[in-house]
């Protein structure tokens, strides 16, 4: 999947007429230079566009309305170069619907000790100009990202890049269509949820389809398309002997290829960016889609097993954020534990559907019995994941609000080989440890399905929660259960009192 490269962020600089035309000219020049140099360093995933310096309530309202109306505008970065009385910003901020970043910086990095005078002070007033705007945005309960530091510093540029990537992922959610192929797994609670409220909160739509809606696309599969895809499998993966040309199970690989071609055609025709399926509603599928789902995720599609549309949407958004970054992002499930004498570990896997973007080596394409679903043995990719820092994220519906739960983990190399485990897998140590992390996760209501990523950090998910206006609970090396439980209780009270704004 590709995402529209013709996107940008508006950079809006605030001032006022009090300082005269020369100061305003200099302010505009500084803003243009700042934007030019940030763009040269790819500080944001799409370019910044320097807009005219705003000095009146009318200008501010106009630029905010124009940002809303510009489909290419992913978000707005604001900076007060001088003092800009914040009552001027009320109407504009009321109307602004795009993600907002407040960059608290100044053009110069250091005080020019030997020549600083009142002219310099009047020109460079970000230290209190941004605080004035900060008060108004807090007074208005306006969600925004605040970044503090000199704009040339790597830390500031890193935070800008993170925010901009999240804004791109947020935009992707606004038009996302999730196809639910079949219903959710029967009697399972966490894969359910309020799809109407999700569309109001996040923008994405979720609708149901039958397996026949997918499989009707088998009819249009040409022999050449099938041959081409089989050649792709042969070149990209290590095929098990039975799946190779002339192998006893070659027909199963051909069927997996037909499923992939049909599923791709269905998703492309419907404009879907994410989808779900369930082994309890496979219809005329000859085998549970394993290889097809894995490859579609690798191409950027979101996926959730057993009808888990919330995880499918979250995965899609996180893949959009992570494009071009090192490390993969995948659908995941906490499957089984290793309670070791020194540390306890989690083995993450699923029946079949783990994205090869997290593979540590060329995946092996294999076929094995599944023992569930009542269909033919499915083809899948088998691999271990790379070691290193990662996180698991879960989006759950708490009834009166959505909650995003994040657990930072450290992926490790398996202590021994897993020759009889015929699925892709990851082994990780949760932070601060399994006992605390699992307790906190369960107390927070975290799902057994997650999005696992080595490309994104908690910072991205915090920015996403801010943009969506939802609760976030983070489990990391500093988590203490007493404090965590207290925070959960506080959030219950907060969202009970302010349900209309959640």
């Amino acid at each position: 999947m590709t995402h529209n490269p013709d996107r940008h962020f508006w950079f809006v600089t605030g001032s006022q007429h009090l300082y005269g035309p020369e100061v305003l000219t200099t302010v505009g020049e500084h803003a243009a230079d700042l934007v030019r140099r940030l763009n040269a360093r790819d500080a944001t995933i799409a370019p910044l566009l320097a807009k005219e310096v705003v000095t009146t309530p009318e200008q501010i309202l106009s630029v905010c309305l124009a940002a809303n109306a510009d489909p290419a505008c992913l978000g707005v970065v604001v900076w007060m170069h001088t003092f800009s009385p914040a009552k001027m910003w009320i109407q504009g901020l009321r109307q602004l619907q795009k993600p907002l970043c407040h960059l608290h910086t100044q053009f110069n990095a250091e005080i020019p000790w030997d020549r600083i005078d009142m002219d310099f002070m009047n020109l460079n007033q970000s230290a209190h100009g941004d605080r004035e705007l900060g008060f108004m945005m807090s007074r208005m309960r306006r969600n925004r990202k605040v970044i503090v530091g000199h704009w040339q510093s790597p830390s500031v540029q890193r935070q800008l890049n993170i925010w901009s990537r999240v804004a791109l992922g947020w935009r992707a959610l606004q038009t996302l269509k999730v196809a639910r192929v079949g219903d959710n797994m029967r009697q399972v609670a966490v894969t359910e949820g309020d799809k109407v409220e999700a569309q109001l909160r996040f923008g994405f739509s979720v609708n149901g389809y039958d397996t026949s809606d997918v499989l009707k696309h088998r009819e249009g599969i040409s022999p050449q398309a099938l041959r081409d895809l089989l050649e792709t499998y042969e070149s990209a993966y290590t095929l098990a002997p039975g799946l190779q040309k002339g192998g006893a199970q070659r027909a199963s690989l051909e069927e997996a290829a037909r499923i992939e071609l049909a599923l791709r055609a269905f998703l492309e025709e419907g404009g879907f960016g994410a989808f779900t399926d369930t082994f309890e509603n496979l219809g005329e599928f000859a085998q549970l889609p394993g290889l097809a789902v894995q490859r579609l995720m690798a191409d950027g599609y979101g996926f959730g097993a057993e009808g888990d549309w919330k995880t499918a949407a979250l995965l899609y958004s996180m893949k959009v954020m992570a494009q071009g970054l090192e490390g993969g992002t995948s659908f995941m499930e906490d499957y089984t534990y290793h309670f070791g004498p020194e540390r306890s570990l989690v083995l993450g896997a699923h029946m079949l559907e783990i994205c090869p973007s997290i593979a540590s080596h060329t995946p092996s394409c294999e076929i094995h019995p599944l023992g569930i679903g009542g269909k033919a043995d499915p083809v899948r990719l088998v691999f271990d994941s790379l070691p290193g820092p990662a996180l698991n994220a879960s989006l759950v519906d708490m009834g009166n609000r959505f909650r995003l739960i994040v657990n930072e983990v450290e992926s490790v190399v398996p202590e021994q080989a897993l020759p009889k485990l015929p699925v892709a897998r990851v082994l990780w140590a949760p932070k601060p440890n399994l006992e605390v992390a699992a307790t906190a996760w369960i107390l927070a209501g975290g799902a057994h399905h997650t999005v696992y990523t080595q490309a994104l950090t908690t910072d991205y998910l915090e920015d996403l929660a801010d943009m969506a206006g939802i609760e976030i609970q983070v489990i990391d090396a500093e988590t203490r259960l007493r404090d965590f439980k207290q925070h959960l209780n506080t959030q219950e009270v907060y969202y009970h009192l302010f349900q209309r704004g959640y």
Side-chain angles (χ1 to χ4, degrees):
M1 299 178 68
T2 58
H3 302 281
N4 188 353
D6 299 323
R7 304 288 193 184
H8 48 246
F9 295 90
W10 285 20
F11 191 92
V12 179
T13 306
S15 186
Q16 62 178 322
H17 284 294
L18 180 66
Y19 308 111
E22 290 186 7
V23 168
L24 292 178
T25 297
T26 302
V27 168
E29 291 172 350
H30 284 181
D33 189 35
L34 182 153
V35 165
R36 178 181 59 79
R37 290 201 266 178
L38 286 176
N39 285 338
R41 298 182 186 181
D42 294 325
T44 49
I45 195 168
L48 292 163
L49 291 183
K51 309 303 290 186
E52 182 181 2
V53 177
V54 292
T55 58
T56 67
E58 293 76 19
Q59 284 182 306
I60 293 167
L61 176 60
S62 177
V63 77
C64 289
L65 292 174
N68 291 342
D70 181 2
C73 176
L74 294 169
V76 176
V77 180
V78 294
W79 170 45
M80 304 302 104
H81 191 304
T82 68
F83 194 79
S84 179
K87 288 170 65 176
M88 297 195 303
W89 288 81
I90 292 175
Q91 293 302 325
L93 291 174
R94 276 182 173 172
Q95 298 298 323
L96 184 63
Q97 298 171 355
K98 297 295 176 77
L100 179 60
C101 175
H102 186 184
L103 179 59
H104 182 39
T105 189
Q106 62 186 26
F107 188 71
N108 58 297
E110 299 177 350
I111 294 174
W113 304 103
D114 60 341
R115 58 182 178 83
I116 185 170
D117 56 18
M118 285 309 301
D119 287 340
F120 181 93
M121 295 280 278
N122 285 334
L123 175 62
N124 300 281
Q125 298 186 59
S126 300
H128 68 287
D130 278 322
R131 293 170 193 254
E132 165 78 356
L133 183 65
F135 162 75
M136 184 53 67
M137 288 196 279
S138 294
R139 177 67 175 80
M140 297 176 68
R141 276 51 171 188
R142 170 75 204 210
N143 285 357
R144 77 279 193 190
K145 174 73 171 181
V146 178
I147 301 176
V148 179
H150 193 257
W151 56 274
Q152 289 181 309
S153 74
S155 172
V156 166
Q157 293 180 19
R158 175 183 174 277
Q159 292 180 74
L160 268 174
N161 192 268
I162 289 173
W163 174 82
S164 71
R165 285 178 173 275
V166 176
L168 183 63
W170 176 249
R171 168 59 67 84
L173 283 177
Q174 307 309 300
T175 55
L176 172 63
K177 296 168 62 179
V178 182
R180 211 166 178 224
V181 182
D183 203 350
N184 73 302
M185 182 179 173
R186 290 186 282 276
Q187 306 298 334
V188 175
V190 77
T191 54
E192 292 282 14
D194 190 335
K195 294 186 283 291
V196 173
E197 187 60 34
Q199 188 164 354
L200 289 170
R201 174 57 50 187
F202 302 102
F204 63 83
S205 63
V206 184
N207 287 290
Y209 297 85
D210 190 71
T211 54
S212 61
D213 294 316
V214 177
L215 291 177
K216 70 181 182 181
H217 292 277
R218 286 170 54 100
E219 301 171 3
I221 297 173
S222 69
Q224 185 60 50
L226 182 61
R227 286 193 296 270
D228 290 345
L229 185 53
L230 290 169
E231 289 178 3
T232 297
Y233 295 165
E234 291 163 354
S235 62
Y237 315 118
T238 302
L239 297 189
L243 299 177
Q244 296 174 10
K245 290 180 180 178
Q249 297 163 306
R250 181 70 173 189
S252 295
L253 184 66
E254 293 175 355
E255 180 60 26
R258 292 188 186 93
I259 291 174
E260 178 179 340
L261 290 168
L263 191 50
R264 281 185 183 274
F266 165 74
L267 295 172
E268 290 172 1
E269 180 183 75
F272 302 110
F275 66 102
T276 73
D277 64 19
T278 174
F279 64 86
E280 287 187 324
N281 190 358
L282 290 175
E284 296 302 315
F285 275 111
Q287 56 181 266
L288 177 66
L291 178 59
V293 171
Q294 291 177 292
R295 285 174 46 80
L296 286 162
M297 278 194 287
D299 288 343
Y301 284 93
F303 171 76
E306 290 99 50
D308 191 348
W309 51 271
K310 296 185 295 297
T311 300
L314 180 62
L315 174 58
Y316 173 77
S317 178
M318 289 173 66
K319 278 186 172 288
V320 171
M321 297 178 207
Q323 59 186 279
L325 299 178
E326 293 185 8
T329 303
S330 176
F331 173 78
M332 188 57 65
E333 180 173 276
D334 298 68
Y335 226 100
T336 195
Y337 292 142
H338 174 74
F339 288 112
E342 296 183 0
R343 65 173 176 175
S344 298
L345 304 170
V346 178
L347 182 64
H350 202 254
M351 292 184 295
L352 304 176
E353 308 97 340
I354 301 298
C355 179
S357 67
I358 67 171
S360 64
H361 53 81
T362 299
S364 173
C365 187
E366 304 176 12
I367 181 171
H368 300 276
L370 183 59
I372 192 169
K375 295 292 183 176
D377 298 344
V379 179
R380 81 291 303 270
L381 300 177
V382 178
F383 54 84
D384 292 312
S385 182
L386 287 166
L391 62 80
N392 281 298
S394 171
L395 181 64
V396 296
D397 185 345
M398 298 301 295
N400 67 335
R401 66 193 186 277
F402 289 97
R403 173 182 285 167
L404 182 60
I405 306 160
V406 178
N407 185 198
E408 297 180 358
V409 306
E410 183 74 22
S411 297
V412 299
V413 176
E415 297 179 4
Q416 298 183 38
L418 300 162
K420 294 186 177 181
L421 184 62
V423 292
R425 59 271 177 150
V426 188
L427 190 67
W428 67 75
K431 295 181 180 180
N433 55 57
L434 174 57
E435 292 74 15
V436 171
T439 301
W441 189 272
I442 290 170
L443 287 171
H448 60 282
H449 290 165
T450 63
V451 177
Y452 170 90
T453 181
Q454 289 187 312
L456 306 177
T457 63
T458 302
D459 295 337
Y460 291 83
L461 280 304
E462 289 177 328
D463 283 356
L464 178 63
D466 283 342
M467 286 184 194
I470 64 171
E471 176 188 358
I472 184 170
Q473 297 288 344
V474 177
I475 306 166
D476 59 15
E478 304 302 318
T479 296
R480 301 294 181 268
L481 284 175
R482 184 177 293 111
D483 296 337
F484 191 83
K485 287 190 285 187
Q486 182 61 45
H487 190 249
L488 287 175
N489 291 335
T490 302
Q491 291 295 291
E492 288 291 344
V493 174
Y494 174 84
Y495 285 102
H496 176 73
L497 293 174
F498 300 102
Q499 288 184 54
R500 294 183 181 273
Y502 89 91

